[in-house]
Amino acid sequence: MSTTTPLPQKPGLPLEVRALTKRFGGVRAVDDLSFTVPPGRVTGFLGPNGAGKTTTLRCLLGLVRPTSGEVLVGGRAYRDLDQPLRQVGAALEAASFHPGRSARDHLKFLAQAADIPVARVDEVLATVGLAEFSGRRVGNFSLGMRQRLGLAQALVGDPSVLILDEPANGLDPAGIAWLRGLLRALAAEGRTVLVSSHVLSEVQQTVDDVVVIADGRLVTQGPLVELERSQASVLVRTPERDRLAGSLREVRPQSTVSEDGADALHVSGWSTAEIGRLAHDQRLELHELANEPGDLERLFLELTQGVSR
Amino acid sequence: MRLGLVRSELTKILSTRLWWGLLIGVVLYTVIQSAASAAFAGLDPGAGQPTTPGLESPETLRGIYAAAAFSGAYIFALVIGVTGMTGEYRYETATPTFLATPRRVRVVVSKAIAHLVVGIGYGVVAVLSAFLAGGLVVLIRGNDLGLGSPGLWRAVALAVLAVGLWTLVGIGIGTLIRNQVAALLVAVAVTFLVEPLVSVGLYAADLEEVGKFLPSTASSAVTSPPAVFGELLPWWAGALVLGGYAVLFAAMGVWLSVRRDVT
Ligand SMILES: Nc1ncnc2c1ncn2[C@@H]1O[C@H](COP(=O)(O)OP(=O)(O)OP(=O)(O)O)[C@@H](O)[C@H]1O
Ligand SMILES: [Mg+2]
């Protein structure tokens, strides 16, 4: 990172999920899932509806008992943490509030339970932009305001680890941009940030790493840039499209070549230079030759489609 | 047990409007019962029924000031206990609660203590209401208030404690039946309908020895009120039996909460 001013460091804790399986009656919500989440980065936890994201997070947080396997925060089970809210802040579904209780009172009972000074409550309400609504009953809150309150709840202990389940739901574009900045800043301070989503594009600009699951199982895991690189392709326009496509396929049968319109090809497994050389050797006329960013959303669909319910 | 956790549970109870709605119920219901028992004590009910003891009798005075307070308040104590627990599931506040305190035993024990405190508060308010309303009727009928009457203060103190203990019964029922509406219906129906019916049935079947140990019946024995029908347990035995129920229900609350998945 190229930051010039030293950031106050808040050392994060790694999250580890080891061979986690959770069965609800006959449903295997999570199936032998293993992955780790390193500190200092934003990790996207992705998967289609019903993939098992929320269940995995609830296991991590000691709310759901795994059928088998282990889930560790900094090497310890959540229930063995000394000061859970100061170590891990989490926001799960948007609806975990009593509608008749004010936002301030909701955070107040949490602060009291966790030995956090009650003064921190107003501070964190201001951080999420709810200062003027702090005395209002949550039953009157909009979805976005509830999301913000959930975030305030996660931040109240100034935790080393932040776990957010679909935090962007119901946020307006300004709210999403603000959330993105906040998560980046927290990770830059060295904290661990894990954000779930069922839409890749929603977190694409925020996350460093991704963990993709479907049907309770791991599909892929790694830095987003690598995933993007694996998906990058080359756009070629040529009047002799079919000849070029044939040659590309013949030389490298494992590469993927797809036709687009009358004169275009999307090619992966070849660099622009390699295609240019081939075209030159075969005396093919080229009108365009350019790198294309990977279509991650399509990849995400492909990765998760085969196995989704 | 950490004080902060009990304070957290008290904040939960006091930060929604239910507690004072129930408190109004406590006052109204106690005032009616206490005033009525003071108004009718010692009068000939007619229809050949035996006359109840008059306003000078210690048991009548215990009935007006203590038994009326208990029976005017305990149902509300039960309700606040049931909603205190089922609300955690209904509104999913169990999630943030257990995130802050993953050792769930501590949460349920703190919740029990906080509810006991609020229940005792209800008991105190009920006793004050009974002294005001019942006392007023006693004075109007030209009698002495009878505050020095034998066994009165013990009965009053035990009535307050008994009201407090009924919150724990509510917490237990609330963990057993997580659906708030169902739990409230069952709790109120069992204490108001099923128990009296069972009690009458047992009495009719000459099994009143068993009927004495039913929760409401045993609880009302702590104030040694005038017997309505059948014998009650001695006050100390009533207190022990109620204490037993409270511990049993609270323990069930702990046991079930610790095991459950929170989804
Ligand atoms: N308490 C429960 N009882 C029974 N089945 C459950 C329970 N909770 C979750 N499931 C099942 O487990 C599977 C995974 O659900 P989960 O909520 O973890 O998915 P998710 O990835 O969070 O989905 P979404 O994107 O819709 O939030 C689903 O099939 C769901 O029906
Ligand atoms: Mg989910």
Side-chain angles (χ1 to χ4, degrees):
Chain A
M1 221 171 297
S2 60
T3 29
T4 44
T5 46
L7 291 163
Q9 289 294 304
K10 175 89 186 183
L13 302 165
L15 303 176
E16 292 163 78
V17 175
R18 292 186 192 155
L20 176 69
T21 295
K22 177 63 190 180
R23 237 178 273 124
F24 290 109
V27 182
R28 246 174 214 272
V30 180
D31 192 1
D32 195 24
L33 179 65
S34 300
F35 65 89
T36 55
V37 182
R41 301 172 71 83
V42 181
T43 303
F45 188 32
L46 303 168
N49 293 131
K53 303 180 295 291
T54 301
T55 306
T56 305
L57 298 182
R58 284 189 177 269
C59 287
L60 256 170
L61 296 167
L63 296 167
V64 165
R65 184 181 293 234
T67 306
S68 63
E70 260 188 324
V71 274
L72 301 172
V73 178
R76 296 157 87 185
Y78 187 86
R79 68 187 304 272
D80 294 328
L81 298 177
D82 310 317
Q83 296 180 305
L85 285 199
R86 291 172 192 267
Q87 287 164 294
V88 182
L92 295 168
E93 276 77 27
S96 303
F97 311 109
H98 191 299
R101 192 175 282 140
S102 72
R104 184 189 284 118
D105 284 336
H106 179 84
L107 296 180
K108 183 176 159 194
F109 86 67
L110 275 179
Q112 287 172 326
D115 272 338
I116 291 165
V118 174
R120 172 79 184 143
V121 166
D122 286 316
E123 218 175 281
V124 83
L125 280 168
T127 307
V128 302
L130 285 180
E132 54 180 314
F133 307 107
S134 62
R136 224 200 260 180
R137 289 191 286 127
V138 180
N140 302 327
F141 276 22
S142 69
L143 178 59
M145 288 161 81
R146 276 167 214 252
Q147 281 293 12
R148 285 168 189 268
L149 181 54
L151 217 54
Q153 171 183 307
L155 294 173
V156 76
D158 193 23
S160 314
V161 179
L162 203 63
I163 296 180
L164 306 175
D165 197 7
E166 317 251 1
N169 274 357
L171 284 187
D172 50 32
I176 291 179
W178 165 79
L179 177 65
R180 184 171 293 153
L182 178 74
L183 298 184
R184 299 280 353 145
L186 292 172
E189 288 168 20
R191 301 183 214 232
T192 312
V193 182
L194 181 64
V195 198
S196 90
S197 175
H198 53 267
V199 196
L200 176 62
S201 55
E202 195 176 85
V203 294
Q204 205 168 342
Q205 290 164 271
T206 318
V207 303
D208 302 300
D209 298 328
V210 289
V211 173
V212 182
I213 66 167
D215 203 13
R217 282 186 289 267
L218 186 70
V219 173
T220 185
Q221 167 182 22
L224 185 68
V225 285
E226 276 178 26
L227 204 64
E228 264 166 345
R229 201 173 299 142
S230 78
Q231 274 306 290
S233 58
V234 175
L235 168 72
V236 198
R237 270 181 215 287
T238 165
E240 295 169 90
R241 190 191 69 177
D242 294 343
R243 244 185 83 203
L244 179 63
S247 306
L248 289 166
R249 289 192 178 111
E250 198 184 301
V251 177
R252 287 192 191 160
Q254 76 279 13
S255 62
T256 55
V257 179
S258 55
E259 283 84 0
D260 187 1
D263 65 343
L265 288 175
H266 301 281
V267 184
S268 62
W270 289 81
S271 70
T272 45
E274 289 165 339
I275 296 174
R277 191 176 313 123
L278 183 87
H280 179 258
D281 290 349
Q282 304 200 350
R283 311 195 65 75
L284 285 168
E285 178 183 342
L286 292 188
H287 293 174
E288 190 176 353
L289 182 60
N291 279 311
E292 280 184 312
D295 184 349
L296 279 180
E297 200 56 50
R298 202 187 58 215
L299 168 72
F300 180 60
L301 268 177
E302 282 166 9
L303 285 176
T304 56
Q305 224 160 32
V307 272
S308 69
R309 294 160 212 274
Chain B
M1 195 48 50
R2 280 215 352 263
L3 198 62
L5 260 185
V6 177
R7 210 177 282 142
S8 167
E9 291 298 330
L10 277 173
T11 298
K12 281 186 197 168
I13 301 172
L14 300 180
S15 60
T16 69
R17 295 188 283 200
L18 181 73
W19 73 273
W20 60 263
L22 293 175
L23 189 65
I24 292 172
V26 167
V27 172
L28 292 180
Y29 199 37
T30 305
V31 162
I32 291 169
Q33 299 206 50
S34 172
S37 55
F40 297 116
L43 299 182
D44 181 2
Q49 298 277 324
T51 307
T52 51
L55 284 175
E56 322 71 39
S57 139
E59 42 185 335
T60 301
L61 290 167
R62 288 197 296 269
I64 294 169
Y65 299 135
F70 169 74
S71 64
Y74 86 105
I75 209 79
F76 298 99
L78 176 68
V79 167
I80 205 162
V82 170
T83 42
M85 193 44 117
T86 52
E88 296 276 12
Y89 294 104
R90 176 169 183 185
Y91 302 113
E92 294 175 27
T93 46
T95 294
T97 297
F98 290 149
L99 287 180
T101 317
R103 305 276 174 166
R104 298 184 193 175
V105 176
R106 294 182 194 168
V107 173
V108 183
V109 172
S110 307
K111 190 181 283 297
I113 294 173
H115 278 81
L116 194 62
V117 169
V118 171
I120 285 175
Y122 280 6
V124 169
V125 170
V127 162
L128 291 176
S129 311
F131 275 124
L132 280 176
L136 191 66
V137 174
V138 169
L139 290 179
I140 288 171
R141 287 184 64 187
N143 280 64
D144 192 56
L145 276 179
L147 297 184
S149 151
L152 178 64
W153 292 102
R154 183 195 70 214
V156 163
L158 283 174
V160 168
L161 183 65
V163 173
L165 289 175
W166 269 81
T167 60
L168 305 191
V169 176
I171 286 177
I173 294 176
T175 12
L176 199 61
I177 307 171
R178 271 177 290 180
N179 181 299
Q180 188 161 67
V181 177
L184 284 172
L185 282 178
V186 167
V188 174
V190 165
T191 37
F192 264 178
L193 282 168
V194 180
E195 186 179 331
L197 287 178
V198 169
S199 186
V200 168
L202 289 171
Y203 186 65
D206 271 340
L207 285 170
E208 50 177 302
E209 278 308 308
V210 179
K212 284 185 202 172
F213 289 91
L214 294 174
S216 304
T217 319
S219 308
S220 49
V222 303
T223 58
S224 318
V228 182
F229 73 95
E231 286 276 300
L232 289 174
L233 289 170
W235 64 268
W236 55 269
L240 284 179
V241 170
L242 172 59
Y245 277 116
V247 168
L248 191 80
F249 275 90
M252 184 173 70
V254 170
W255 192 78
L256 287 175
S257 310
V258 167
R259 266 148 197 80
R260 255 176 206 154
D261 283 345
V262 181
T263 56

